[in-house]
Amino acid sequence: MRYSQLFLPTQRETPADAEVVSHQLMIRAGMIRKLTSGIYTYLPLGLRVIQKIETIIREEMNRAGAQEVLMPSVQPAELWQETGRWNVYGKELLRFKDRHGRDYCLGPTHEEVITDLVRKEVRSYRDLPLNLYQIQNKFRDEIRPRFGLMRGREFIMKDAYSFDIDEEHAEKSYWKMYDAYVRIFERCGLKFKAVEADSGAIGGTFSHEFMVLADTGEDAIVTCTSCDYAANLEKAEINPDYARDRYGKPLGSKGLPAEKRGTPNIKTVEEVTRFLRVRPDRLVKTLIFETGKEPVAVLVRGDHEVNPIKLKNLLGVETVALADETLVRELTGAPPGFTGPLGLKIRILADNDIRPMEDMVVGANEEDAHLVHVYRGRDFDVSGFADLRFITPSDRCPRCGKDILFIRGIEVGHVFKLGEKYSQAMSATYLDDQGKERLIVMGCYGIGVGRTAAAAIEQNHDQDGIIFPWSIAPFQVTVLMLQPEDSEVASQAEKIYNGLKEANIETLLDDRDERPGVKFKDADLIGIPVRITVGERGLKSGQVEIRLRRTGETDEVRLENVIEKVRGFFREPVS
Ligand code: ATP
Ligand code: MG
């Protein structure tokens, strides 16, 4: 490809709305342009990178036995009503009507469509297993689109769906996809970690997120400093056996009777602890949640936060949400901030760390009042204990009890065992070898293609620009024709360019009528792994300069050896 003919508008200025480096560099390197919030056009350079990633994904999906299909983006509401998601998906789902007034949405994901296809076509166990995937634009009306391709509203996703005869086979399919993902992200040149994620009603460890490690990542990951435990923050379990604070035996009798203290307009943990001069781990927060069924109260220590996902899974409900002020007043007789477990007429669940607590401070269910010297068992009871809070950096690894570390990551892929959720809701069945009708067991597997490209740049750049990993670089080599007006420079650069093309090496020839400084700057910015500089000075001694973008290593190479030298990089790819 000749740069003079390529639509590659680079720019020196950093765009004002680009907060993370990958977004800045994708704009500056002429890879993408914004149409409107969270919606981008891929320019030729960006599209080449996207297509490289897609090729890797296709090769690995096909190798794992998956087959490519392409489903429509427009999906009828009826399918979403069948699974109930028309009501629960919320505002991320872009809904619209056709000219007949029928409801549709633009697909944010395709479980409904694929399950509909499979229930119509799959009859018997002989038709299974089946794994179908597509690479397609998804639409999610994200509340905060940002970071360029990282969190778009329209974005390219690879989504795959597996169909099996039973749990055991579904698990095999799951691990096959897990392995394929490891290969895909390795081939993309990424440093990543597969972490346990929430698998909702399924339970167990059948949901993993593939996280590219980066400080700018939106996701918090909990890793063990000793064993290989890694989970996302929502999922990370807290093992009571490894509790940091061991409370001693109660001191003598049950101490002092509960006593009310006036706490005028003092509500937050910080305010209450300062006012009553107690440590936050002496305070118990009582939070009321709406669950779609009965409201429940959850007790956690003052220095802990309720993890709503753990609560949702424990209760087996679709959603949980903090109760609004009206409900809190109705149930406690006081505004939020003064809720406590004494006299509360709803079910009370407590986090495991409440169990050893004594002599606690709680809300008095009365405006501007708290109770001190409160004891569980004496003053109130709970209906059960569970792990209901977020892990904190001072907790220990739930597997081995060693210290943990919080790191940040970008979720590029997600593998998930769905079980019978969709096949049950949509009656996707098959006949087993006894002729008995059974539900198909499913899994789903997503990769954000644009996000993967962005994550790769996040991990591979320097102050001058992008440093593409070989496998996803838009070109492998760029040849800089430093003085195009010099006929010797022009003809030698052309010769090298043609030689590389013949060797099937993707090459960008910078034949623009630009100053050398501009060409060097652009070459660094767009991050092509190998740069060959053909200039008057070098040619005097029959040489060109070959430089590796990543290491900055340079070599003066004789003209006749250039192609062989570059080929050598491919025999032993440099990462
Ligand atoms: P997130 O928590 O980041 O919103 P998600 O859990 O909603 O992600 P999935 O539904 O599992 O994501 O989608 C599969 C993959 O699609 C994700 O792993 C991610 O790489 C990508 N993806 C999801 N939302 C977006 C988005 N708004 N923009 C770009 N890629 C996305
Ligand atoms: Mg999302």
Side-chain angles (χ1 to χ4, degrees):
M1 182 73 73
R2 288 169 188 279
Y3 203 143
S4 60
Q5 286 158 29
L6 183 62
F7 180 45
L8 176 46
T10 57
Q11 64 185 55
R12 297 280 167 262
E13 323 75 61
T14 299
D17 68 337
E19 297 165 64
V20 294
V21 73
S22 57
H23 185 193
Q24 296 167 357
L25 288 173
M26 280 180 146
I27 301 280
R28 288 189 49 210
M31 293 175 68
I32 56 168
R33 285 294 180 263
K34 180 158 106 178
L35 175 64
T36 182
S37 172
I39 302 182
Y40 289 84
T41 297
Y42 307 91
L43 305 190
L45 198 78
L47 188 58
R48 287 181 79 102
V49 175
I50 294 287
Q51 286 169 340
K52 286 278 168 79
I53 296 171
E54 289 180 356
T55 300
I56 293 173
I57 293 175
R58 283 198 171 89
E59 285 173 5
E60 295 301 338
M61 293 305 291
N62 295 345
R63 188 214 293 265
Q67 298 173 60
E68 188 167 359
V69 295
L70 184 57
M71 290 176 264
S73 293
V74 173
Q75 307 186 7
E78 289 80 49
L79 289 181
W80 286 72
Q81 281 151 356
E82 248 187 282
T83 60
R85 287 211 292 181
W86 188 254
N87 292 326
V88 297
Y89 209 92
K91 290 191 171 163
E92 268 186 34
L93 188 64
L94 184 68
R95 302 154 207 252
F96 56 95
K97 287 184 193 296
D98 70 3
R99 64 168 75 198
H100 307 291
R102 290 189 202 108
D103 287 311
Y104 291 85
C105 66
L106 269 190
T109 176
H110 277 67
E111 283 82 5
E112 279 81 359
V113 176
I114 197 94
T115 308
D116 180 58
L117 177 77
V118 166
R119 72 175 164 186
K120 287 172 179 156
E121 305 304 327
V122 165
R123 292 273 154 266
S124 113
Y125 69 97
R126 286 189 206 89
D127 304 326
L128 298 172
L130 196 59
N131 188 326
L132 301 173
Y133 77 97
Q134 63 175 346
I135 297 179
Q136 187 213 35
N137 279 25
K138 296 282 187 272
F139 193 93
R140 293 183 185 179
D141 205 351
E142 298 276 356
I143 185 161
R144 265 193 89 193
R146 57 184 186 154
F147 303 160
L149 300 191
M150 288 267 193
R151 185 166 298 283
R153 293 197 298 159
E154 182 173 329
F155 58 95
I156 305 172
M157 194 201 285
K158 185 286 299 181
D159 46 327
Y161 305 88
S162 64
F163 301 87
D164 281 282
I165 53 167
D166 58 21
E167 294 292 329
E168 194 191 326
H169 288 82
E171 282 166 28
K172 274 199 189 120
S173 298
Y174 178 88
W175 292 112
K176 225 185 219 177
M177 282 295 108
Y178 180 103
D179 292 341
Y181 274 39
V182 170
R183 280 197 300 271
I184 288 168
F185 295 120
E186 272 174 7
R187 284 185 60 187
C188 288
L190 294 165
K191 290 189 262 315
F192 66 96
K193 217 174 179 56
V195 310
E196 291 178 20
D198 174 50
S199 49
I202 304 280
T205 50
F206 288 107
S207 172
H208 286 87
E209 287 168 349
F210 286 76
M211 298 282 195
V212 167
L213 309 179
D215 292 338
T216 49
E218 288 187 285
D219 293 284
I221 308 168
V222 178
T223 58
C224 180
T225 53
S226 175
C227 72
D228 61 3
Y229 180 77
N232 72 17
L233 187 61
E234 280 135 36
K235 164 81 179 179
E237 300 145 46
I238 296 145
N239 185 339
D241 292 346
Y242 300 132
R244 198 55 85 174
D245 318 278
R246 292 240 161 259
Y247 286 77
K249 284 217 155 48
L251 294 166
S253 67
K254 282 259 152 130
L256 302 161
E259 190 188 315
K260 195 190 295 179
R261 294 277 172 87
T263 48
N265 211 18
I266 287 176
K267 301 179 195 173
T268 66
V269 171
E270 213 198 338
E271 290 163 353
V272 176
T273 51
R274 201 173 330 120
F275 188 78
L276 295 176
R277 292 169 190 275
V278 290
R279 285 177 21 184
D281 59 9
R282 288 262 143 236
L283 187 84
V284 170
K285 286 193 279 195
T286 308
L287 296 158
I288 297 177
F289 284 87
E290 293 189 74
T291 67
K293 298 177 188 161
E294 301 278 281
V296 294
V298 179
L299 309 185
V300 286
R301 230 167 62 183
D303 55 338
H304 290 154
E305 299 299 331
V306 175
N307 180 335
I309 306 231
K310 289 181 178 175
L311 178 63
K312 182 175 86 101
N313 291 342
L314 181 75
L315 297 173
V317 295
E318 285 283 340
T319 54
V320 294
L322 262 183
D324 61 10
E325 178 161 353
T326 319
L327 184 61
V328 173
R329 279 181 185 276
E330 191 183 305
L331 294 171
T332 70
F338 304 100
T339 308
L342 275 71
L344 211 54
K345 294 276 179 312
I346 55 174
R347 187 169 166 211
I348 303 175
L349 296 169
D351 177 64
N352 287 329
D353 288 72
I354 300 293
R355 200 195 290 266
M357 283 180 78
E358 310 227 308
D359 193 1
M360 35 188 144
V361 177
V362 301
N365 294 328
E366 186 183 313
E367 186 152 11
D368 294 342
H370 279 77
L371 298 172
V372 299
H373 307 314
V374 170
Y375 286 78
R376 182 176 56 83
R378 184 190 71 182
D379 302 316
F380 73 94
D381 278 312
V382 301
S383 53
F385 290 97
D387 172 11
L388 287 171
R389 67 171 174 95
F390 280 108
I391 200 165
T392 70
S394 56
D395 283 304
R396 294 193 165 113
C397 171
R399 294 272 192 285
C400 74
K402 293 281 167 27
D403 286 344
I404 51 169
L405 199 64
F406 276 41
I407 54 174
R408 300 206 70 82
I410 301 164
E411 181 200 321
V412 287
H414 192 177
V415 293
F416 197 96
K417 188 168 155 226
L418 289 168
E420 296 171 346
K421 179 172 173 184
Y422 291 91
S423 44
Q424 179 134 48
M426 298 181 69
S427 311
T429 60
Y430 70 96
L431 296 177
D432 71 9
D433 54 0
Q434 312 292 312
K436 194 164 163 253
E437 192 171 10
R438 288 179 181 278
L439 288 173
I440 299 176
V441 186
M442 290 173 57
C444 70
Y445 317 92
I447 292 180
V449 178
R451 194 183 278 185
T452 300
I457 294 174
E458 211 59 47
Q459 272 189 346
N460 297 280
H461 68 270
D462 61 14
Q463 68 284 357
D464 297 322
I466 304 170
I467 306 173
F468 274 114
W470 287 85
S471 56
I472 63 168
F475 297 94
Q476 308 300 304
V477 180
T478 179
V479 178
L480 307 191
M481 189 192 276
L482 273 201
Q483 299 87 8
E485 67 286 355
D486 180 313
S487 62
E488 179 62 7
V489 170
S491 77
Q492 289 301 345
E494 292 280 351
K495 214 168 138 193
I496 292 171
Y497 171 59
N498 288 323
L500 291 170
K501 272 206 310 197
E502 265 163 43
N504 276 327
I505 294 169
E506 296 161 295
T507 306
L508 176 66
L509 173 66
D510 193 348
D511 56 345
R512 291 176 302 166
D513 186 14
E514 287 283 2
R515 283 178 294 113
V518 172
K519 294 188 180 180
F520 285 126
K521 275 213 150 52
D522 279 336
D524 277 347
L525 177 60
I526 64 181
I528 292 165
V530 182
R531 184 186 83 190
I532 303 177
T533 308
V534 186
E536 286 163 354
R537 211 181 309 154
L539 285 186
K540 282 197 187 119
S541 47
Q543 287 183 327
V544 298
E545 183 203 76
I546 298 186
R547 179 174 185 269
L548 296 179
R549 175 70 181 89
R550 186 175 293 277
T551 59
E553 208 178 304
T554 50
D555 220 348
E556 301 296 329
V557 179
R558 296 202 57 77
L559 282 169
E560 59 272 24
N561 297 334
V562 169
I563 308 294
E564 205 37 44
K565 172 86 181 171
V566 174
R567 274 177 193 262
F569 295 138
F570 295 90
R571 279 195 287 273
E572 268 175 85
V574 210
S575 65

